[in-house]
Amino acid sequence: MRRSLFGRTWPNVIAVVLIVFFIFPVYWMIATSFKKDQDITSKTPVFIPFSATLEHYTTATGAENFWTYVTNSVVVTVSAVLLSLFIATMASFALARMKFRGRKGFVLVVMMAQMAPWEVMTIAVYIISRDNDMLNSLVPLTLFYMMMVLPFTIWTLRGFIAAVPKELEESAMVDGCTRPQAFVKVIFPLLAPGLMSTSLFGFITAWNEFPLVLILNKDEGKTLPLWLSSFKTAFGNDWGATMAASTMFALPVLILFIFLQRKAVGGLTDGAVKG
């Protein structure tokens, strides 16, 4: 009896410890963003900001070009995700439903592209952008981010399409639908979990990307990660405003994950094992 109770208790204790370990930095960031300056610099840690303030959020959002960098991040991230979903949907359909020469080789290339470190393309992207006068532009960033998430998107959606019985598509075509119409009316609605999981992965990857934008863009072409790394006020490092900006930077990903959590997790597992 005692052994059984112990066997049920210790995994829960370990889980709680791990949750606290990983959640505490996030809590400290959010709590610091609401603290007053004297509480932030106090020698005695203030774990709960009883005298909260929104001054740091005002400082962060009032910084020069802040909303320009927000717009840049949103435009680049959303565009990259939509482009990757559009291309991957067509490519995954071809891999799952059509037989053509080089099909297995293409699948192998997709897997290799997923495993290869994307940093190896940084120099090539910089040279291409420089030679085509595209430095400090959002276009190469969007295309590069799209290439980063495209292999994963293709692989995941391929599993979902392969799991849909061909008979459903053939029945729709017998009823008068063309193949594109059968795809839109029959297969595409069943791809919702896969689309959500891949879009979440793509959004997080593009939203957090730092090294490439550091190399390619500057001034008003920055995105939020690059701006956040160099954010300072006239008085030097403002840790309260930095934590406020970091909290706002993490908020879109957190909100998106909360809304898509269940279907996204199911999409990752189903797309990985089917087909």
Side-chain angles (χ1 to χ4, degrees):
M1 188 72 174
R2 291 181 178 179
R3 290 183 179 180
S4 177
L5 180 61
F6 178 77
R8 293 196 303 266
T9 302
W10 73 264
N12 296 330
V13 172
I14 294 177
V16 171
V17 172
L18 290 175
I19 291 173
V20 172
F21 178 79
F22 287 108
I23 290 296
F24 180 77
V26 178
Y27 166 77
W28 193 255
M29 175 186 71
I30 297 174
T32 303
S33 69
F34 290 103
K35 294 178 184 177
K36 293 184 177 181
D37 290 334
Q38 59 267 28
D39 293 334
I40 296 175
T41 58
S42 173
K43 293 183 179 180
T44 303
V46 178
F47 291 95
I48 301 177
F50 292 103
S51 56
T53 177
L54 295 176
E55 179 182 355
H56 301 308
Y57 286 89
T58 303
T59 302
T61 56
E64 184 179 3
N65 293 327
F66 172 79
W67 294 109
T68 299
Y69 304 141
V70 172
T71 302
N72 291 346
S73 290
V74 171
V75 169
V76 169
T77 301
V78 173
S79 299
V81 171
L82 292 179
L83 278 174
S84 65
L85 288 178
F86 177 73
I87 297 174
T89 300
M90 295 186 293
S92 58
F93 179 79
L95 291 174
R97 284 290 191 262
M98 301 178 182
K99 297 187 181 298
F100 53 89
R101 182 176 298 178
R103 176 174 172 269
K104 293 183 178 179
F106 183 78
V107 173
L108 180 62
V109 169
V110 170
M111 294 180 63
M112 292 176 61
Q114 174 64 26
M115 294 184 292
W118 57 264
E119 289 85 354
V120 299
M121 296 187 291
T122 303
I123 297 177
V125 170
Y126 174 80
I127 294 175
I128 294 173
S129 301
R130 181 198 62 190
D131 294 344
N132 290 277
D133 195 25
M134 297 175 64
L135 291 176
N136 206 34
S137 170
L138 300 182
V139 175
L141 282 180
T142 301
L143 296 178
F144 184 77
Y145 293 168
M146 182 268 294
M147 290 187 292
M148 289 171 58
V149 302
L150 188 59
F152 174 82
T153 308
I154 292 176
W155 182 255
T156 303
L157 293 182
R158 171 185 172 272
F160 275 91
I161 294 177
V164 177
K166 292 183 179 180
E167 290 76 12
L168 295 178
E169 186 180 354
E170 293 171 352
S171 298
M173 295 174 66
V174 169
D175 291 338
C177 291
T178 62
R179 191 156 198 171
Q181 290 175 336
F183 173 81
V184 172
K185 295 181 179 180
V186 177
I187 297 180
F188 188 77
L190 300 177
L191 295 181
L195 294 173
M196 290 182 180
S197 61
T198 52
S199 61
L200 179 60
F201 170 82
F203 187 91
I204 294 175
T205 302
W207 186 259
N208 293 329
E209 200 283 327
F210 178 82
L212 185 68
V213 68
L214 176 64
I215 296 173
L216 296 182
N217 288 21
K218 59 182 180 179
D219 300 330
E220 295 185 1
K222 295 178 181 179
T223 56
L224 276 178
L226 183 57
W227 170 80
L228 188 59
S229 68
S230 59
F231 173 60
K232 292 183 179 182
T233 64
F235 303 99
N237 291 325
D238 187 337
W239 296 114
T242 300
M243 293 299 102
S246 301
T247 301
M248 290 187 291
F249 174 72
L251 197 59
V253 175
L254 180 61
I255 294 174
L256 188 64
F257 181 80
I258 290 175
F259 278 103
L260 302 182
Q261 178 183 8
R262 292 183 179 179
K263 291 188 177 180
V265 173
L268 287 171
T269 54
D270 292 346
V273 301
K274 292 180 180 178

